[in-house]
Amino acid sequence: MERFAVTTERPYDILIGKGILDQSGKYIKECVNPCRVCIITDSKVNKLYSKILSSSLEENGFETHKIVFPEGEYSKSIATYANVLESLAEKAFSRSDIIIALGGGVVGDLSGFAAATYLRGIRYIQIPTTYLAAVDSSVGGKTAVNLLSGKNLAGAFWQPSMVICDYKTFDSMEEAFLLDGVAEAIKSGMIMESSLIDRVLAKDYGKVIERCVSIKKSVVEADERDIGMRQLLNFGHTIGHGIEKLSSYRISHGRAVAMGMVVESKAAFKMGLTGYDASEYLTEVLTKCGFDLNLPYSAEQLYKYAKNDKKISADSISMVIPEAIGKCRLQKILLSDLERFIQLGIK
Ligand code: GLY
């Protein structure tokens, strides 16, 4: 098992291993004294893993409770979030108790936001069970739900007390869902570490998670609140979030980010912001991984959603510009140039 210490305002450990879920109660006891635990999960993950987790917690002296909501991006809503808060209150959870987010990105983001806001904040632990959550969303303390206007528009920064990643859980994932993690891992390779992309192609899950977590740890430690270099992690996301929303979330996050990286790279090159056209390399690698990169939306449609992006401040938006494979920089683009930027990216 590998262990990474993340030194954010509230420090925590990330544990990565294959087949460690049934030991999780023992690990959690390292950072939280036995108390009441609310496992928050979705209908799919509940059937697969909540019993293993609750048995391990109970063996280690924790009292377990559970909240289950339907699987899928549509659950990442204010309505589900409100139901979770009401359930926590009905169960009389207090600030000395903890939440465990058991599942993928939707479960992690929503449960984290509930933890950040219930009683003005209680502790929580992330147990990612998908490739996407393991390589990206479970680390770094970004929590959120979607609004009707767009993705992740209501949320908080709230660091977990521990992250336990058992990548044996990927055995139960269909290839189509694994692709979401592939896109985020390739994104991390593009922004900071070209050799990571070869590991992604080799499906070396353990090493890919370790490298992604290590990259993310360094970025989050330098910019916990996403006001500077952390925005590099948003490569492909300005366009990607628009694609997800326009498709009513039928196009999953990873697939949308894959298309978004190609569009943003081509746009940056055609606008003369970089001498390197990463879109050619990305198209080749992403196609090899099995992504369909045919973009079903127009520049006008994508612009409408990009205008709501969280990286906008005043009259500009921060975009990630690839300079080489494994090297990106941030650059502000005037909002008045954003529609042209997107048009150049999809031509
Ligand atoms: N998923 C991007 C970030 O955590 O900053």
Side-chain angles (χ1 to χ4, degrees):
M1 187 184 75
E2 293 294 323
R3 186 183 282 259
F4 292 82
V6 185
T7 50
T8 38
E9 197 179 330
R10 282 186 303 146
Y12 58 99
D13 281 355
I14 301 170
L15 314 185
I16 302 168
K18 189 158 190 182
I20 60 173
L21 184 63
D22 61 2
Q23 305 285 307
S24 44
K26 185 183 82 188
Y27 299 129
I28 291 168
K29 214 157 73 172
E30 290 174 13
C31 65
V32 183
N33 287 330
C35 59
R36 299 172 78 223
V37 176
C38 189
I39 299 168
I40 304 182
T41 190
D42 69 26
S43 46
K44 183 174 178 185
V45 177
N46 179 41
K47 287 190 208 121
L48 295 167
Y49 302 117
S50 61
K51 185 81 198 85
I52 303 173
L53 174 61
S54 57
S55 300
S56 175
L57 287 162
E58 283 157 17
E59 277 160 26
N60 283 279
F62 293 91
E63 177 190 312
T64 63
H65 299 258
K66 195 165 68 175
I67 297 173
V68 183
F69 55 77
E71 67 172 295
E73 189 72 32
Y74 265 105
S75 283
K76 197 172 163 182
S77 63
I78 291 284
T80 313
Y81 162 70
N83 286 340
V84 166
L85 295 184
E86 291 292 355
S87 298
L88 289 166
E90 276 162 21
K91 294 177 198 300
F93 263 71
S94 75
R95 281 187 179 154
S96 55
D97 301 324
I98 62 163
I99 285 173
I100 296 186
L102 174 71
V106 170
V107 169
D109 284 10
L110 187 145
S111 309
F113 188 39
T117 47
Y118 179 67
L119 304 181
R120 298 203 179 90
I122 72 170
R123 296 165 301 174
Y124 77 116
I125 285 170
Q126 289 272 17
I127 304 192
T129 59
T130 65
Y131 197 16
L132 175 122
V135 295
D136 188 57
S137 62
S138 66
V139 176
K142 272 191 184 173
T143 73
V145 293
N146 302 332
L147 299 184
L148 295 178
S149 298
K151 205 145 149 127
N152 296 340
L153 293 184
F157 291 97
W158 191 246
Q159 299 296 338
S161 299
M162 181 175 261
V163 180
I164 301 174
C165 173
D166 176 359
Y167 56 93
K168 192 169 188 333
T169 57
F170 301 175
D171 293 352
S172 60
M173 285 184 75
E174 290 154 37
E175 190 67 29
F177 290 108
L178 282 168
L179 273 187
D180 287 321
V182 169
E184 288 286 4
I186 288 177
K187 173 207 76 181
S188 295
M190 278 302 294
I191 61 171
M192 282 208 180
E193 189 172 291
S194 59
S195 59
L196 173 54
I197 297 174
D198 295 327
R199 293 191 193 278
V200 177
L201 294 173
K203 301 190 177 179
D204 184 355
Y205 296 126
K207 226 14 185 199
V208 171
I209 298 166
E210 277 170 44
R211 291 311 310 144
C212 287
V213 163
S214 173
I215 290 168
K216 188 142 187 193
K217 164 184 149 62
S218 64
V219 171
V220 169
E221 284 174 349
D223 176 24
E224 187 172 343
R225 293 270 161 168
D226 204 18
I227 49 175
M229 78 176 289
R230 184 166 181 171
Q231 294 180 1
L232 286 171
L233 295 170
N234 288 319
F235 180 38
H237 283 60
T238 299
I239 297 300
H241 282 167
I243 294 171
E244 280 185 89
K245 180 76 178 79
L246 283 162
S247 75
S248 301
Y249 298 104
R250 274 189 297 274
I251 299 180
S252 65
H253 182 66
R255 289 181 158 72
V257 167
M259 292 180 202
M261 288 192 288
V262 174
V263 172
E264 292 178 17
S265 301
K266 196 187 285 182
F269 176 70
K270 286 197 171 171
M271 215 158 166
L273 304 173
T274 174
Y276 174 60
D277 183 3
S279 69
E280 287 177 12
Y281 171 76
L282 279 168
T283 300
E284 188 192 320
V285 167
L286 293 165
T287 305
K288 198 188 277 181
C289 292
F291 287 96
D292 174 0
L293 298 172
N294 290 312
L295 187 66
Y297 304 111
S298 67
E300 291 69 29
Q301 287 173 298
L302 292 167
Y303 173 64
K304 188 168 164 249
Y305 284 95
K307 279 192 306 182
N308 259 341
D309 195 280
K310 293 183 293 309
K311 293 174 298 303
I312 289 176
S313 67
D315 60 351
S316 63
I317 178 166
S318 193
M319 295 300 299
V320 181
I321 312 293
E323 295 184 324
I325 306 164
K327 188 163 181 274
C328 290
R329 68 167 207 281
L330 291 167
Q331 175 152 347
K332 288 203 182 302
I333 293 182
L334 287 173
L335 286 184
S336 51
D337 286 335
L338 183 59
E339 189 165 7
R340 189 167 78 87
F341 179 85
I342 298 172
Q343 274 164 356
L344 291 171
I346 65 176
K347 266 190 191 144

